[in-house]
Amino acid sequence: MALGTNGMGGGVGGSLTADIPLLWGQKINDYFRYNLSLAQFFVDRSEELSEGGSDVYTPNIVAMSTAAKTTNAQVTLNNPIQTKQTLTVSTWKESSFVIEDREMAQLKKSYYLQDTFAKACAWEIAQDLDDAIAAQFTNFTVANQILGSGTANVADSSLLAAIAILETTGVDVYGGDTAWIFHPNTFYRQIGSVDKLTLWQNTQTELPRSKAPTRSLYSIPVIVSSAVPLGAGAAQESGARLNMLAHRDSIHWARMSLPVKSTKGFVGDMGVRVQQSYIQEYLGELVTVDLCYGVSQNRTDSAVKIRSHSVANGL
């Protein structure tokens, strides 16, 4: 039986059947990038997978030693045992929906609805990646690089101690690659209540309510993210907010660019794939947005974990 003339190619108001990947593809990738906070800071190794593969290796460079040199004697050779860190890209997340023919005709005319759908898909995928990066915070377990308590607010002394710890280990704290990472409750409700940090340093005025808090502490940038996790397991960490002072090299991540398999599709510059196909059972277009990524801890000595009350002690 012949198909009617009011199918997915026609109908009142037209459709987006040929346009969704083209119209939304890069827009979704742009919104994906915009919604990333942690992934934009930590090291992205995606380019190393552009020709294929699923694993990225990073050698752990062992420091060389020196030796005294005496006349007519051979030099002392360094022979360190080299190890490696492995970043495996295998986590595959998708966000899918169906737009039925009637709504498709309406959507064609509405930039607002197109934008809303694109933002919603991009946000979900970006949130998954940021959550996966934040989940690595629990893996920083070097005892002398953990500060604070889950029963107390962040103290100024902990902030200064975190800077001292990283500089002692040789991390260039003020080289532009280090940042504080706080949950909104920690930054606004705890640090925001410390006069020393909010009155002059963040506002340059005696009236702290005259300006929004500057996202910088001791001239180190602050990333505020709701992805910052609560601890679990150990009694000292269970229920504590796990904030960080971290060098960007402490965590690596990568995404895999998957090929388009549907008749209509698009892969943007952030590796987010948008595919579309018509599903007659639903009389609508199935749109799937997906991303394959991996995250790994890379350097255990380049971050300090700062535990704090999950909300704010005293509230």
Side-chain angles (χ1 to χ4, degrees), residues 25-160:
Q26 190 53 46
K27 182 182 291 187
I28 288 174
N29 277 265
D30 290 342
Y31 282 133
F32 170 77
R33 181 192 296 109
Y34 175 80
N35 280 292
L36 295 174
S37 56
L38 301 183
Q40 288 202 52
F41 171 69
F42 290 107
V43 174
D44 178 6
R45 306 283 296 278
S46 302
E47 287 188 5
E48 297 173 50
L49 296 175
S50 60
E51 300 299 322
S54 60
D55 294 323
V56 179
Y57 299 110
T58 305
N60 294 318
I61 306 300
V62 179
M64 299 292 184
S65 61
T66 61
K69 178 65 174 73
T70 57
T71 305
N72 296 324
Q74 292 181 342
V75 295
T76 302
L77 300 179
N78 279 276
N79 187 27
I81 298 175
Q82 301 289 354
T83 59
K84 65 183 179 184
Q85 300 283 74
T86 302
L87 168 58
T88 299
V89 178
S90 61
T91 301
W92 196 3
K93 293 296 183 74
E94 55 86 15
S95 180
S96 303
F97 55 91
V98 169
I99 307 176
E100 296 185 359
D101 289 343
R102 182 181 60 185
E103 285 72 28
M104 184 70 78
Q106 297 169 344
L107 193 61
K108 173 70 175 179
K109 302 176 181 179
S110 174
Y111 176 83
Y112 169 77
L113 288 177
Q114 294 175 28
D115 210 45
T116 299
F117 272 83
K119 283 181 178 179
C121 289
W123 188 88
E124 294 294 343
I125 297 293
Q127 192 66 31
D128 276 338
L129 176 54
D130 263 7
D131 285 345
I133 291 174
Q136 293 293 320
F137 293 2
T138 61
N139 296 330
F140 289 86
T141 56
V142 178
N144 63 353
Q145 292 186 210
I146 300 175
L147 300 169
S149 165
T151 61
N153 296 342
V154 170
D156 181 40
S157 57
S158 292
L159 302 180
L160 292 171

